[in-house]
Amino acid sequence: MAGQKPFYVTTPIYYVNDKPHIGHAYTTLACDVLARFKRLDGYTVKFLTGTDEHGQKVEKSAMAKGIAPQQFTDDVSQNFRDLAAAMGYSNDDFIRTTEVRHKAACQALWTRLLEKGDIYLDKYAGWYAVRDEAFYSESELKAGPNGEKLAPTGAPVEWVEEASYFFRLSAWQDRLLAFYEANPDFIAPESRRNEVLSFVRGGLQDLSVSRTTFKWGVPVPGDDAHIMYVWLDALTNYITAVGYPDTDASDYKQFWPANLHMVGKDILRFHAVYWPAFLMAADLPPPQRVFAHGWWTNEGQKISKSLGNVIDPYQLVERYGLDQVRFFMLREVPFGNDGDFSHQAMVGRMNSELANDFGNLSQRVLSMINKNCNAAVPNKGPLTEDDEAMLGSAYALLETVRGQLDRQVFHEALESIWVVIRAANGYVDRQAPWGLKKTDPARMETVLWVLAESIRNLALLMQPFVPTSAGKMLDQMAVAADARSMAHFGAAGALVPGSALPKPEGVFPRYVEAEATAS
């Protein structure tokens, strides 16, 4: 809509050589919560995810299966679309690097960098890890168990010598450092910013940006013997999706530079060093912010295919429920840190926080209203100091949570919400509306109105995290579908006494372990 502020958030594009796992689900979930919140908060949102489909790894995997790379990527890319649907993500676009629009954007960017003198032809000789699609200097390598050379990630490396185009990354060291200095919020969290500063201050080498030893990629314009380095190709997706190379396209003008690239910490260097250098070299503005989150372990163990402990998001959702999984992933761990998935922690969060704290609060308040207030929003009488304090803490939440989500501290946003949920439970116990029923029914109605109104505001804020459950809670308070945005937060959207309410039902069931069947 005209006049609305734009918000453009992206996930990394996921490499199709992999089956979707909890890491993919986690990154996209964080972006989904931001996209949902911003839409509710009056922004025009573009939320992009997609798949990275070029490179040597993909070509090798396709050959091993005896199928063409395009067929291989068609099949595997669909897995990531399916995950987005299963996890309830609200992405507005899904990009594939094999699309015609993307090839055009990559070749336009390349041509621009060549014209500007930032790309030149030379010969590459050095260490390359196919698994990481990355080049490494001798000093970065480590010895493997049998004395073989390995990348810092543990990936095997091979010595590569071939003609290659290079990007003059070395020329960008001082300009990048000046950019980081002028934009202190460009890289988050702080620990990751420090890593990048240290890396760039250590000196930048020119970057090999083309390969000739395989063919699965975007051809270099005017030199078909070369294909573009997969990271130059992959990073360009963020501008492809807003219409580049047409910088007059409405999406480009509205959404670029992106507000946020959300990435895993393992790909921070590509996004915080190479990408802004490519863009500035092409006279294009860099994104506003890159946030690198941590990794998950499984019951304390590193997740790996060899250990067989990869966490399948589909199985989690089937076992615990979609909203419960969404809540846990952003509640359990300070966002940006590494986190551990454990069944015990999952059940603990579901039962103590969702079922007991929030679900039970909503269920008992709405049940009392249903039983004692003619199944309608109670009358609101004069407010006491305690009532004002309860409502005030609920009404103050939007500003707090808005600031926390702008810093991507999802765990803090949820804790702020939970402080008010716990306060509401304390208020119920203090006011004891079940006792007021006999002694002061008018006062009982006021207390129940304050509680219902507090729950309405809490449910509004929980919509981005647990969309289905928060929606059910708002249904039970007869909040109209067009009254669920943040414009209706606080007194502006307060519940109207006398409005009919449906019979309440539990929203967050307790998780009960299935009984082991006797053999």
Side-chain angles (χ1 to χ4, degrees), residues 250-412:
S250 59
D251 266 15
Y252 184 89
K253 285 163 92 164
Q254 184 174 25
F255 292 115
W256 193 259
N259 297 79
L260 177 70
H261 291 329
M262 184 71 77
V263 301
K265 63 182 183 180
D266 52 324
I267 54 172
L268 177 60
R269 185 184 299 181
F270 302 104
H271 286 82
V273 181
Y274 301 169
W275 183 222
F278 294 155
L279 289 167
M280 291 192 283
D283 291 329
L284 299 173
Q288 293 176 19
R289 185 166 168 90
V290 177
F291 191 106
H293 64 72
W295 290 339
W296 284 89
T297 50
N298 186 352
E299 306 279 355
Q301 276 193 312
K302 187 170 189 255
I303 293 175
S304 74
K305 286 181 190 166
S306 56
L307 286 173
N309 66 347
V310 173
I311 299 174
D312 182 330
Y314 292 101
Q315 289 173 358
L316 287 188
V317 169
E318 195 177 325
R319 183 172 185 182
Y320 302 114
L322 176 54
D323 279 352
Q324 285 79 355
V325 170
R326 287 173 62 106
F327 173 77
F328 174 83
M329 287 169 74
L330 294 178
R331 174 72 168 134
E332 180 68 7
V333 182
F335 197 74
N337 295 6
D338 290 343
D340 186 48
F341 179 87
S342 80
H343 173 68
Q344 188 180 356
M346 177 87 207
V347 173
R349 293 280 182 197
M350 288 168 66
N351 287 347
S352 70
E353 294 189 330
L354 290 179
N356 291 4
D357 292 349
F358 196 22
N360 188 43
L361 171 70
S362 169
Q363 179 68 2
R364 66 177 176 155
V365 167
L366 294 176
S367 295
M368 277 189 270
I369 291 172
N370 185 265
K371 196 171 162 191
N372 303 310
C373 306
N374 299 317
V377 174
N379 289 316
K380 175 192 173 188
L383 299 181
T384 66
E385 203 175 303
D386 202 13
D387 303 340
E388 296 276 14
M390 182 65 247
L391 272 182
S393 64
Y395 286 176
L397 261 181
L398 175 58
E399 207 53 46
T400 303
V401 168
R402 187 183 273 145
Q404 288 164 330
L405 292 182
D406 278 343
R407 300 198 319 279
Q408 293 82 56
V409 284
F410 299 95
H411 57 293
E412 288 182 23

Side-chain angles (χ1 to χ4, degrees), residues 56-57 60 124 126-136 141 149-160 211 229-231:
Q56 201 168 355
K57 259 196 302 192
K60 283 186 171 181
Y124 178 79
W127 297 103
Y128 186 74
V130 173
R131 195 175 85 193
D132 300 343
E133 300 282 10
F135 301 101
Y136 294 103
L141 302 183
K149 291 182 187 292
L150 296 176
T153 58
V157 292
E158 56 189 57
W159 185 260
V160 174
R211 302 292 307 276
Y229 173 43
V230 73
W231 271 105

Side-chain angles (χ1 to χ4, degrees), residues 179 433 438:
F179 172 72
K438 291 194 178 78

Side-chain angles (χ1 to χ4, degrees), residues 16-317:
V16 292
N17 209 31
D18 233 345
K19 194 177 165 203
H21 56 66
I22 192 171
H24 304 117
Y26 185 51
T27 317
T28 316
L29 170 61
C31 294
D32 182 60
V33 168
L34 290 173
R36 286 173 180 273
F37 178 80
K38 290 291 185 182
R39 289 188 199 106
L40 290 168
D41 205 20
Y43 286 73
T44 301
V45 171
K46 186 172 180 70
F47 166 22
L48 176 70
T49 189
T51 43
D52 177 9
E53 304 184 11
H54 288 136
Q56 201 168 355
K57 259 196 302 192
V58 173
E59 190 175 79
K60 283 186 171 181
S61 297
M63 282 168 67
K65 287 200 159 189
I67 57 176
Q70 186 65 57
Q71 178 61 52
F72 176 81
T73 59
D74 288 348
D75 295 345
V76 190
S77 178
Q78 189 58 43
N79 295 339
F80 287 89
R81 282 185 191 267
D82 294 344
L83 176 70
M87 293 296 291
Y89 300 142
S90 60
N91 52 294
D92 303 288
D93 195 358
F94 187 101
I95 191 162
R96 300 181 57 190
T97 56
T98 49
E99 291 178 53
V100 172
R101 62 173 171 163
H102 182 65
K103 180 177 168 183
C106 290
Q107 293 185 325
L109 181 63
W110 179 283
T111 302
R112 179 81 176 145
L113 294 174
L114 193 66
E115 286 167 354
K116 299 276 289 180
D118 276 284
I119 286 181
Y120 63 92
L121 184 62
D122 204 339
K123 184 181 165 201
Y124 178 79
W127 297 103
Y128 186 74
V130 173
R131 195 175 85 193
D132 300 343
E133 300 282 10
F135 301 101
Y136 294 103
S137 64
E138 186 79 38
S139 63
E140 290 181 285
L141 302 183
K142 59 182 186 181
N146 303 313
E148 72 276 25
K149 291 182 187 292
L150 296 176
T153 58
V157 292
E158 56 189 57
W159 185 260
V160 174
E161 290 192 27
E162 58 182 292
S164 176
Y165 285 91
F166 285 80
F167 174 74
R168 294 186 198 277
L169 189 62
S170 59
W172 285 89
Q173 181 175 341
D174 291 344
R175 285 178 278 188
L176 282 169
L177 289 170
F179 172 72
Y180 303 146
E181 182 73 25
N183 298 277
D185 294 332
F186 174 65
I187 304 164
E190 189 69 21
S191 58
R192 304 284 168 231
R193 174 180 155 80
N194 293 337
E195 271 173 36
V196 170
L197 287 172
S198 172
F199 173 73
V200 176
R201 283 178 185 140
L204 296 176
Q205 305 293 315
D206 285 358
L207 183 69
S208 169
V209 288
S210 75
R211 302 292 307 276
T212 56
T213 47
F214 62 99
K215 285 291 174 201
W216 184 240
V218 177
V220 166
D223 192 345
D224 282 358
H226 292 253
I227 60 151
M228 286 185 207
Y229 173 43
V230 73
W231 271 105
L232 176 55
D233 160 3
L235 289 161
T236 304
N237 93 87
Y238 304 125
I239 52 176
T240 300
V242 289
Y244 185 82
D246 180 6
T247 53
D248 288 324
S250 59
D251 266 15
Y252 184 89
K253 285 163 92 164
Q254 184 174 25
F255 292 115
W256 193 259
N259 297 79
L260 177 70
H261 291 329
M262 184 71 77
V263 301
K265 63 182 183 180
D266 52 324
I267 54 172
L268 177 60
R269 185 184 299 181
F270 302 104
H271 286 82
V273 181
Y274 301 169
W275 183 222
F278 294 155
L279 289 167
M280 291 192 283
D283 291 329
L284 299 173
Q288 293 176 19
R289 185 166 168 90
V290 177
F291 191 106
H293 64 72
W295 290 339
W296 284 89
T297 50
N298 186 352
E299 306 279 355
Q301 276 193 312
K302 187 170 189 255
I303 293 175
S304 74
K305 286 181 190 166
S306 56
L307 286 173
N309 66 347
V310 173
I311 299 174
D312 182 330
Y314 292 101
Q315 289 173 358
L316 287 188
V317 169

